[in-house]
Amino acid sequence: MRSRTGRVVVNSPLSFLQFAGRSLAGNEAIADRLAVNRLEQNAFYGWPLAGLALVIAVRLWHRALVKALVCTAIGGAVLSMGPRIQIPGTHIVLPGPWRLILDLPLFGSVIESRFGMVCAPVLGVLVALAVDRIAASSEPRLKAAGLVAVAAALLPIVPTPYPVNVRPAVPDFIADGTWRRYVDEGQTVVPVPLAHSYTTESQHWQSATRMAFTMPGGYFMAPNGPAHVGNYNPEPRPTYRLLGTVYTSGKVPEIGPRQRAEAEADLSYWKAGVVVLAPGFNAPPLYQTLRQLLGRDGTLIGGAWVWDVNDGTSATRRPGA
């Protein structure tokens, strides 16, 4: 996917010979250098499988099916390398065919590296053809050697368990509907940190309430900015960017009149009724930042720190009002 800065997510030619970090033969340190993140290791098939596929293709090249499969794999692999293909170990950069369609509608929002997954079914069919031929052999030694070769190529890429964390519980302030007292029709709940590609917990809050409230921010793919270039997040306003930096760094920035004015403008733009911070990753520096931005301490309600930003104007805020 291309961002507003022109950044692309592409595969290195070396990716196809490397093992995914979460595979039996994988090395996370090596794999991480070849992928933008661990979710984008789409072309990591390993050199044993790549070598086996080459042998199968040469041996069965006389078959039209094999020729079609190889052309399909090459096409997907080359497209996944993006508009500029860096030759590993050199300063040589070759133009890739993706540059011909990069600026066409919709293609600007495509993640190029995922074209590497086109190779997966191709490799599967090639291996199946080889196994079918090996199984039909009348030579026991040849049959055994062939099956061992196939197993040796596939075993290194067997996936290993991916570590997971237990999702934090939705704070009672959100789960039991207390937030409704602080938000008028047309207003938003502002969860902190705001939803972003690096944290989607507030979207979990929203889904847990069956989308009962609206909020700024989010992790999604959509055209963005004046150029309508595909991006994962909304156009970042100053406070959105500031709180995101605090969340990722854990450091409280210097807050002055400009930051407070920007926060006031952003809350108005977001039509905020309430700001909510739940305990979690880097919550203390986020609390201190919000305390300075909003000029007061938050109130602990239903397992979350709450800042009423309606200034007493909400008719639904107090029971019996």
Side-chain angles (χ1 to χ4, degrees), residues 191 193-200 202-203 206 215-221 224 231-235 240:
L194 290 95
H196 195 278
S197 57
Y198 46 69
T199 174
T200 58
S202 57
Q203 288 183 270
Q206 194 180 46
M215 66 181 188
Y219 177 39
F220 51 84
M221 184 183 293
N224 204 345
N231 199 6
Y232 287 115
N233 305 292
E235 188 75 19
Y240 184 93

Side-chain angles (χ1 to χ4, degrees), residues 163-186:
V164 296
N165 296 316
V166 177
R167 183 188 291 275
V170 177
D172 290 342
F173 179 81
I174 297 294
D176 65 14
T178 305
W179 62 270
R180 295 180 185 275
R181 303 181 195 170
Y182 296 80
V183 179
D184 285 332
E185 184 177 354

Side-chain angles (χ1 to χ4, degrees), residues 45-308:
Y45 299 108
W47 61 264
L49 181 56
L52 177 65
L54 178 60
V55 172
I56 295 171
V58 171
R59 186 67 182 84
L60 302 180
W61 187 250
H62 61 280
R63 300 183 58 173
L65 173 60
V66 172
K67 293 178 181 177
L69 289 169
V70 171
C71 290
T72 300
I74 292 175
V78 174
L79 286 174
S80 77
M81 297 179 198
R84 301 170 69 252
I85 302 174
Q86 174 80 45
I87 304 302
T90 74
H91 296 291
I92 300 174
V93 178
L94 302 177
W98 187 256
R99 66 191 178 94
L100 301 176
I101 57 176
L102 175 63
D103 293 320
L104 295 178
L106 298 181
F107 286 98
S109 295
V110 172
I111 300 176
E112 297 93 317
S113 68
R114 295 184 182 176
F115 276 95
M117 291 189 286
V118 170
C119 300
V122 170
L123 292 170
V125 174
L126 287 175
V127 170
L129 291 173
V131 171
D132 184 64
R133 183 149 182 163
I134 292 170
S137 174
S138 58
E139 290 288 337
R141 291 184 179 179
L142 180 61
K143 182 182 296 187
L147 293 177
V148 168
V150 171
L154 296 178
L155 188 61
I157 63 172
V158 171
T160 57
Y162 209 91
V164 296
N165 296 316
V166 177
R167 183 188 291 275
V170 177
D172 290 342
F173 179 81
I174 297 294
D176 65 14
T178 305
W179 62 270
R180 295 180 185 275
R181 303 181 195 170
Y182 296 80
V183 179
D184 285 332
E185 184 177 354
Q187 290 187 318
T188 66
V189 173
V190 180
V192 179
L194 290 95
H196 195 278
S197 57
Y198 46 69
T199 174
T200 58
E201 192 55 37
S202 57
Q203 288 183 270
H204 175 218
W205 297 1
Q206 194 180 46
S207 65
T209 64
R210 298 183 180 274
M211 310 300 285
F213 64 85
T214 57
M215 66 181 188
Y219 177 39
F220 51 84
M221 184 183 293
N224 204 345
H228 299 288
V229 175
N231 199 6
Y232 287 115
N233 305 292
E235 188 75 19
R237 296 187 67 82
T239 308
Y240 184 93
R241 187 183 298 109
L242 174 67
L243 293 173
T245 300
V246 176
Y247 176 80
T248 55
S249 70
K251 298 178 180 179
V252 180
E254 183 177 344
I255 303 297
R258 179 174 64 84
Q259 287 79 16
R260 294 188 185 93
E262 289 173 341
E264 183 178 359
D266 290 341
L267 290 172
S268 176
Y269 178 83
W270 292 329
K271 300 178 181 178
V274 65
V275 176
V276 184
L277 170 67
F281 181 74
N282 278 339
L286 284 169
Y287 179 91
Q288 293 302 323
T289 302
L290 288 171
R291 181 175 178 274
Q292 294 183 64
L293 285 174
L294 302 178
R296 62 187 187 276
D297 286 317
T299 303
L300 187 60
I301 305 173
W305 293 101
V306 174
W307 283 264
D308 181 347

